[in-house]
Amino acid sequence: MSTQPFNSQPIETRRKLARFNRVRRSATNYVVGGLSVLATIVVLAPLAAILVYLIFKGASSLNLAFFTQVPAPVGETGGGMANSIIGSGLILMVSSLIGVPIGIAAGVYLAEYGRGTMLGNAVRFTADVLNGVPSIVMGIAAYSLVVVPQKHFSALAGGIALAIMMVPTITRTTEEMLATVPHAIREAALGLGVPKWRTTLSVSLRTASPGIITGCMLAFARVAGETAPLLFTAFGNQFWSFKLNEPIAALPLQIYVYAISPYDEWHRLAWAGSLVLIVLIMASVTLVRIYANRGVLKGGS
Amino acid sequence: MADNSFAGIVLACACSIFAIVLMILVILIVRSHLTLVQFGWKFFTNQAWDPVSGNFGALPFIYGTITTSILALIIAVPLALGVAIFVTELCPRPLRAPISFLTELLAAIPSVVYGLWGIFVLVPLIRDVVGPFLAKTLGWTGFFDGQNFGVGMLTAGIVLSIMVLPIISSLTRDIMLSVPNSQREAVLALGATKWEMIRIGVLRNSRIGIVGAVMLGLGRALGETMAVTMVIGNNPQIVKSLFAPGYTLASVLANEFSEATGDRYLSALIEIGLALFLVTIVVNAIARLMVWAVTRGAPAKVS
């Protein structure tokens, strides 16, 4: 480009410069548009790759034994991950029993009582920050809190670690869902002389319940795949266990053990286990999405 | 009466969130007391990690964590921005929701599955195809030197980038959508091309929020455990080459915590957990404030 002022140049140069500029600008426009399309394709590629691998490698190893048997000892073929699936279920049940009520109640506080107050903002902020704390730190906390005093690993400790992770997510979605409930509905109930706690429980919470259930399921799906906090709380187990104060198997934990093992037979089971895990998680997330897009959440009715 | 007790209960549950944070902090400090006292700040500058002789330093793990996270951001940020721009500004309306949904599915895949995929698909790919290519073309930088086993910082960084992408892109998308349409129309009315409209009208207005979103992604990358543990090679060393196996704060915890013998060993590991906790809290807090500053009061929802 010339350093001279544009207007002081001869008309021919000015026209050329203007045309050059126009071409350059529209070229940049197209290049950037192309790049963004390319980026989208590049991002979707790993998703496709992971899903395709899971289906191809996992599906061939799924059979009845997988869902009914405990892991086979090294060297023997066969075996399954039935105890891990049950174990994951137990741990998730414990974590939901602890995490869901606390999370929903905290969300109710934020939406109905703490709106705009200093304390409310502080709780909201802390919940968001807690959401980003690595899961393995929750594992250490649960280890020190439950495993050390009891002197052994347990399903309970695993459940507590996961519950701590569920609380902030559920709190925030509950708050957001309650915020979509129209004020007129609350006022109608209050106007009829219903006490505030009753209004909150039977009117606000009930109206927002599809959204809140969605939020709980998303939190559930998120912790269902967690491995790190279970490594030293639930610890894993090669046999059947239904006791809460004993080490217990969990699906993600077992996938990890199998994946880093040197045996092909175990790698096969790891793929199959991952497929089962993903199908469970994706099914719940997708169902929730479809449900949410139907507008059940939007009007809140 | 009932009203007061109900308010009391929900208030108590809300405060339990503070209690959780406080409890984690206290537990971590108390249980890492041994090494906190013994090593002080030197813990974070000491390169040695020698459980046998009781000499502990976290520097190799800090190095590994920072290297893999930065690598992940270098890969993920341009891609995430590209996706966000495509979804909010360029893509035909009917495609918007499916593409956002698919990118968010990436976030729903558990870490351990990424690790499994990393071990059996990505590691061979890096070892046989990507690695040799990088060594040939960029070998002069010194980042791609030495033996390439497939496991190492580079692979960990790539897996991490896939994992942080959905967070950054979905937040960036929400932030860009919260820019008012009148702003776009104003820039277009002055004769700008679409890209100029995006750059001047949208990106410039949302830059604080985008930086916040990137920092949230960084927070996630710093603490990501399983996938990294499975592909990074787990070797506490500081080497410039990205092919070299490394170790991160989170993966040393995953690997060594349940077999740590001796109080000092355990204390050193818990101190690493404490460092991880504090760093992610600070990073996330700053990031949240930045995102809030931009999206506050705006409808942050995809159509």
Side-chain angles (χ1 to χ4, degrees):
Chain A
M1 291 271 174
S2 168
T3 49
Q4 279 172 288
F6 190 72
N7 285 334
S8 70
Q9 294 184 1
I11 186 79
E12 264 313 298
T13 324
R14 275 198 251 168
R15 279 208 184 118
K16 257 187 202 152
L17 273 176
R19 193 178 323 117
F20 174 74
N21 242 333
R22 212 162 46 235
V23 171
R24 181 183 57 84
R25 286 172 57 209
S26 83
T28 318
N29 185 32
Y30 284 116
V31 168
V32 173
L35 283 178
S36 79
V37 175
L38 192 69
T40 311
I41 295 169
V42 169
V43 168
L44 294 180
L47 179 70
I50 290 173
L51 294 182
V52 165
Y53 265 93
L54 276 176
I55 290 166
F56 273 91
K57 291 227 173 190
S60 57
S61 308
L62 280 180
N63 49 29
L64 191 65
F66 183 88
F67 293 102
T68 54
Q69 291 180 12
V70 298
V74 178
E76 284 178 34
T77 52
M81 296 171 97
N83 61 335
S84 309
I85 297 172
I86 302 285
S88 268
L90 259 176
I91 295 174
L92 287 170
M93 207 178 73
V94 172
S95 63
S96 305
L97 283 179
I98 302 171
V100 170
I102 295 181
I104 291 182
V108 167
Y109 172 79
L110 284 184
E112 308 283 328
Y113 295 87
R115 181 131 298 190
T117 62
M118 276 287 278
L119 184 64
N121 287 337
V123 170
R124 187 176 302 117
F125 185 67
T126 315
D128 276 346
V129 170
L130 186 63
N131 213 352
V133 169
S135 57
I136 196 153
V137 173
M138 314 298 188
I140 300 178
Y143 172 87
S144 308
L145 207 65
V146 186
V147 176
V148 172
Q150 280 196 320
K151 296 199 175 57
H152 55 80
F153 300 105
S154 66
L156 182 67
I160 289 176
L162 296 190
I164 298 176
M165 298 188 61
M166 288 177 87
V167 169
T169 330
I170 296 179
T171 301
R172 294 291 278 123
T173 39
T174 304
E175 186 205 355
E176 274 167 31
M177 291 308 148
L178 283 175
T180 62
V181 176
H183 269 294
I185 300 185
R186 288 190 190 100
E187 280 156 13
L190 289 171
L192 290 172
V194 181
K196 183 163 184 189
W197 68 274
R198 202 61 218 269
T199 311
T200 306
L201 279 183
S202 326
V203 178
S204 309
L205 267 182
R206 191 147 171 202
T207 314
S209 63
I212 293 172
I213 292 167
T214 308
C216 291
M217 283 196 56
L218 285 177
F220 189 84
R222 186 180 154 217
V223 299
E226 277 297 339
T227 318
L230 300 181
L231 282 171
F232 32 83
T233 51
F235 196 67
N237 190 336
Q238 295 292 315
F239 307 100
W240 288 107
S241 170
F242 301 99
K243 297 213 177 83
L244 283 185
N245 59 353
E246 278 181 7
I248 198 166
L251 200 49
L253 212 50
Q254 199 66 29
I255 294 170
Y256 173 61
V257 172
Y258 281 166
I260 59 170
S261 79
Y263 313 109
D264 282 342
E265 179 69 16
W266 283 13
H267 294 162
R268 209 173 54 74
L269 284 170
W271 282 108
S274 297
L275 180 64
V276 171
L277 188 62
I278 285 279
V279 166
L280 291 176
I281 291 176
M282 295 265 172
S284 53
V285 173
T286 314
L287 274 181
V288 156
R289 273 308 162 103
I290 293 170
Y291 196 47
N293 281 343
R294 285 276 162 78
V296 188
L297 307 179
K298 279 172 192 155
S301 54
Chain B
M1 190 55 220
D3 253 354
N4 284 340
S5 45
F6 183 75
I9 291 171
V10 294
L11 178 64
C13 286
C15 289
S16 75
I17 292 175
F18 295 133
I20 290 172
V21 173
L22 208 63
M23 179 193 76
I24 295 175
L25 190 66
V26 169
I27 285 176
L28 293 177
I29 291 176
V30 168
R31 309 254 322 152
S32 63
H33 184 246
L34 265 182
T35 45
L36 273 178
V37 173
Q38 194 194 347
F39 296 106
W41 287 110
K42 277 223 291 282
F43 185 75
F44 299 107
T45 53
N46 183 359
Q47 278 206 35
W49 182 258
D50 187 358
V52 182
S53 65
N55 187 11
F56 296 103
L59 195 60
F61 311 115
I62 296 173
Y63 173 79
T65 305
I66 292 176
T67 314
T68 49
S69 305
I70 290 181
L71 192 59
L73 288 188
I74 290 175
I75 302 172
V77 169
L79 289 174
L81 276 181
V83 174
I85 289 175
F86 181 68
V87 169
T88 52
E89 314 288 342
L90 302 174
C91 120
R93 227 157 228 289
L95 274 180
R96 257 192 197 184
I99 291 181
S100 319
F101 173 67
L102 285 176
T103 48
E104 273 162 41
L105 265 193
L106 273 175
I109 295 176
S111 182
V112 70
V113 176
Y114 276 113
L116 181 77
W117 181 77
I119 288 181
F120 294 110
V121 182
L122 201 58
V123 165
L125 192 71
I126 300 276
R127 190 178 53 216
D128 304 330
V129 183
V130 181
F133 172 76
L134 284 174
K136 213 167 76 189
T137 50
L138 292 170
W140 51 272
T141 54
F143 286 120
F144 305 102
D145 268 349
Q147 195 72 34
N148 173 17
F149 301 107
V151 293
M153 304 270 205
L154 178 66
T155 317
I158 293 174
V159 172
L160 271 183
S161 71
I162 302 175
M163 301 182 71
V164 299
L165 238 164
I167 301 162
I168 303 179
S169 72
S170 68
L171 268 166
T172 306
R173 191 195 60 208
D174 285 352
I175 291 159
M176 288 172 67
L177 282 176
S178 71
V179 171
N181 259 332
S182 54
Q183 197 111 342
R184 295 186 175 82
E185 284 154 13
V187 182
L188 283 178
L190 291 175
T193 61
K194 199 139 198 188
W195 161 242
E196 283 162 341
M197 180 272 282
I198 295 168
R199 186 166 56 87
I200 300 168
V202 181
L203 290 181
R204 189 167 294 172
N205 280 292
S206 40
R207 59 181 186 264
I208 296 175
I210 292 175
V211 172
V214 171
M215 283 188 71
L216 272 182
L218 174 69
R220 175 60 62 92
L222 292 173
E224 195 44 66
T225 314
M226 298 320 296
V228 174
T229 310
M230 290 159 89
V231 298
I232 198 173
N234 299 330
N235 191 3
Q237 58 177 4
I238 299 181
V239 183
K240 190 184 172 197
S241 170
L242 294 176
F243 286 156
Y247 225 149
T248 67
L249 292 168
S251 57
V252 71
L253 288 172
N255 253 333
E256 300 186 7
F257 197 88
S258 58
E259 45 206 48
T261 47
D263 291 342
R264 184 157 298 136
Y265 193 179
L266 205 57
S267 163
L269 285 171
I270 294 179
E271 189 173 346
I272 284 181
L274 177 65
L276 197 56
F277 181 65
L278 292 178
V279 168
T280 46
I281 287 248
V282 170
V283 169
N284 277 299
I286 298 172
R288 280 290 168 197
L289 289 176
M290 288 172 126
V291 174
W292 277 11
V294 180
T295 51
R296 178 167 298 155
K301 204 80 205 117
V302 213
S303 58

